[in-house]
Amino acid sequence: MNFLAPLALGLAALAIPIIVLYLLRRRREERDVSSTLLLQRMIRDLEANAPWQRLQRHLLLLLQLLALFLLTLAAARPFVRVFGESAKTLVVILDTSLSMAATDTGDGSRFETAKRAVLQAFDQMPPNGRLTLLTTGTTAPLLLANTNDRLALQETLNALHPTDPDSDLTPTLLLADAIAARQPNSRVVVVSDGAVRTPDTALTLSAPLSFVRVGTRGDNAGIAIARLEPTQNEMRLYVQVRAFGETATTRRIVVEATDGTPLAAFEVSVPADGYADHTFALPPVDAVHVRLSPPDFYSLDDEAWAVLAETDRRRLRLVTQGNLFLQTAVALLPDVETEVVPLDADLTTTDPVDLTILDTGWQGDTLPDGNLFVIAPVQSHPPITITGALSLPVAAPATANDPLLAYVDVNDLAILDGVATELPPWARPVLIDRVSGAPLLWLGEHNGRSIGLLAFDLHHSDFPLRVAFPILVANLVDALTTSRADLPVAAVQGRPLRLPVPPTAADVSITLPDGRPMRLEPHDGVVVFTPPMVGLYHIQWGDRAVALAVNAFTPQESQLAPADALPVRVAGTVQPVRAEEGRRELWRWLALAAFGVLVLEWLVAHRDTWRLRDISKRRWHHHRS
């Protein structure tokens, strides 16, 4: 039981003076005497009695203490937490993201707490109420529609588990509102910890929207990067541990072989809301298992797998006039062979490369063939169209959790100017100007080649001076080129993965970490596969066998601090939908019970008066008769 005014429990101290008054009270017993002379003796005996007596059982005292106890509880305003709705139709959106696997609620995981809340909501609906259940994700799955069958709801909830690495609330919320719009007296309720992606614009909803929050803590730390790379004589493992929240932590990184043999260990201290990294020198291995010791309440990001990637050098041509920042960034890229040519070089006679980067100032007649990345173009070249200029643009991510911006912080990025370009229909924005909405960084595929554009000159910003700059360059090169070692070596649990295979492959065999086999049929040389768990996967077709490391770390899901408000802006309101903790206050029932006890105490206290009146009445009737 919880209390809204716990200080009122101090009123229980009033029981002390009540008990003291009973200790000081002189006890007089009714006795029949035959003479008034005997009455005088009894008065003298009572006056000689000491006022402090041993506390005896007394019904009036017990009733008074009970009334005081009930009134004290009523003043403290006790309540029990409920998740009940009086709406006739309840549309529940249950968050199935990975962060719901955290075990900080004290009674199982967040997801188990959320499932119990859904069942409680069903139990407290009106007798004719019906419930619809949806879950979050990249799609909007409808699990139960307009049901009043509690057993079906229980079975559906039992089959659910946190599986989504990046839940999107937008399609589910739109579907839920469409369902609620067709039902009178309906309500949409989101049960989540708030780690979901929400619509960027305000929504016009036809039913009230509520947010029920689960989770209590946010001081999580997890493995952000685990990368295995070869060197000349040994293997090198780079591990980064990231902490979330305002609590620093010290964890031990343990590196093991795939058979569990310990390889290395190192203790790192991670600052609050920061990260710490360490590089291990290992003997020749193809894959390793990394874990943090001891694990915390969110174990999914406390372990990671790393697989040695097949190496295959890519060729990159950098067209620039002494841009040392850019040259240094591409020189740091592993397995990339870079050719630097001046801005006035004739690109029509050069050999084809995997990617051409055109720095600011290039003024050729036509864009070179192949994959292309253009920085602050000075003139339009199809399919690049310049529409104007930008002054002091403010960079902001176009969408949340874009993989190109992984570990790239663009907050407070200083940019002097830029060019405004038309966003092609086949391209997607990565960075935009927060003020005008113009794209600052976009990329896409057009006519069989990858094209990207950065809308500002690097020398007109402080971006090259940031740690995030070489990271973004590496992400862009990976996105715009196709390595001959085209199979991925890492993936995220629950996120669909495209596996390119030769057109001659009839089927692909996948062995899951728990040993279960799967067999998939490729279509157009691609197998689409969603890893259901973390661990090491073995993929084989024909005589080719590769390993795939699947981990669960995503920054959004590892950020476990429960949200006080769901970032969904509803049209007509200024603030996002705040968390509602359902509660039922009990003070009215307690006050009513206290009143009943006081009435009973008054009747008991005056029972002798009623008895004397009854005796007098009987004597009067006897006298008249």
Side-chain angles (χ1 to χ4, degrees), residues 392-423:
L392 298 176
V394 180
T399 58
N401 301 307
D402 193 304
L404 275 178
L405 299 180
Y407 316 111
V408 176
D409 185 9
V410 295
N411 291 329
D412 302 324
L413 181 62
I415 304 174
L416 179 62
D417 52 25
V419 294
T421 60
E422 179 181 326
L423 181 65

Side-chain angles (χ1 to χ4, degrees), residues 99-337:
S99 62
M100 296 290 284
T103 57
D104 58 328
T105 59
D107 189 13
S109 66
R110 295 181 178 182
F111 196 67
E112 295 299 324
T113 302
K115 290 195 293 186
R116 288 193 295 268
V118 175
L119 287 174
Q120 191 176 28
F122 182 89
D123 295 337
Q124 295 176 353
M125 290 181 65
N128 59 345
R130 293 181 177 271
L131 184 142
T132 297
L133 179 65
L134 301 94
T135 59
T136 59
T138 54
T139 60
L142 177 61
L143 302 181
L144 283 176
N146 207 27
T147 183
N148 59 359
D149 187 346
R150 193 184 192 280
L151 180 60
L153 176 61
Q154 178 75 68
E155 293 177 349
T156 302
L157 292 175
N158 290 339
L160 294 178
H161 303 281
T163 56
D164 295 319
D166 186 16
S167 294
D168 189 357
L169 185 61
T170 303
T172 313
L173 189 59
L174 294 177
L175 176 60
D177 185 65
I179 295 174
R182 297 194 299 266
Q183 303 290 341
N185 190 16
S186 58
R187 175 178 286 271
V188 178
V189 180
V190 180
V191 187
S192 168
D193 57 7
V196 293
R197 289 193 292 128
T198 55
D200 297 329
T201 58
L203 298 179
T204 302
L205 301 179
S206 56
L209 177 63
S210 300
F211 170 42
V212 176
R213 179 185 62 188
V214 294
T216 59
R217 298 170 54 188
D219 51 335
N220 175 48
I223 300 175
I225 301 175
R227 186 168 58 241
L228 186 63
E229 299 175 346
T231 60
Q232 292 182 350
N233 301 320
E234 59 186 6
M235 295 295 171
R236 187 163 294 175
L237 174 67
Y238 172 73
V239 179
Q240 183 184 94
V241 180
R242 185 173 177 181
F244 299 87
E246 300 179 355
T247 304
T249 183
T250 299
R251 306 289 290 278
R252 188 172 182 84
I253 305 175
V254 180
V255 183
E256 302 170 337
T258 54
D259 59 357
T261 303
L263 298 178
F266 186 79
E267 191 172 87
V268 295
S269 297
V270 190
D273 199 19
Y275 64 90
D277 48 22
H278 186 71
T279 302
F280 296 89
L282 302 177
V285 290
D286 295 329
V288 294
H289 178 222
V290 186
R291 59 182 176 87
L292 294 182
S293 178
D296 56 21
F297 65 94
Y298 183 61
S299 60
L300 290 181
D301 61 2
D302 286 339
E303 66 172 345
W305 294 82
V307 173
L308 183 65
E310 296 185 20
T311 60
D312 192 7
R313 299 187 67 82
R314 290 168 287 179
R315 294 186 60 196
L316 185 149
R317 179 174 291 122
L318 176 57
V319 184
T320 183
Q321 200 69 38
N323 190 334
L324 296 179
F325 298 115
L326 196 55
Q327 293 182 44
T328 303
V330 297
L332 295 173
L333 299 176
D335 303 319
V336 173
E337 180 182 337

Side-chain angles (χ1 to χ4, degrees), residues 543-612:
D543 58 353
R544 180 77 181 276
V546 295
L548 174 69
V550 175
N551 301 314
F553 181 86
T554 56
Q556 177 179 339
E557 299 303 323
S558 293
Q559 182 73 51
L560 296 178
D564 292 329
L566 194 66
V568 176
R569 290 172 294 150
V570 181
T573 63
V574 179
Q575 299 294 333
V577 180
R578 299 197 63 82
E580 296 181 1
E581 292 186 352
R583 62 190 180 215
R584 177 172 296 171
E585 292 193 42
L586 307 176
W587 69 269
R588 293 179 179 85
W589 298 102
L590 293 171
L592 183 61
F595 176 76
V597 172
L598 290 176
V599 171
L600 178 61
E601 191 269 349
W602 183 83
L603 293 175
V604 172
H606 293 80
R607 65 183 185 277
D608 293 337
T609 304
W610 299 109
R611 187 177 61 183
L612 291 175

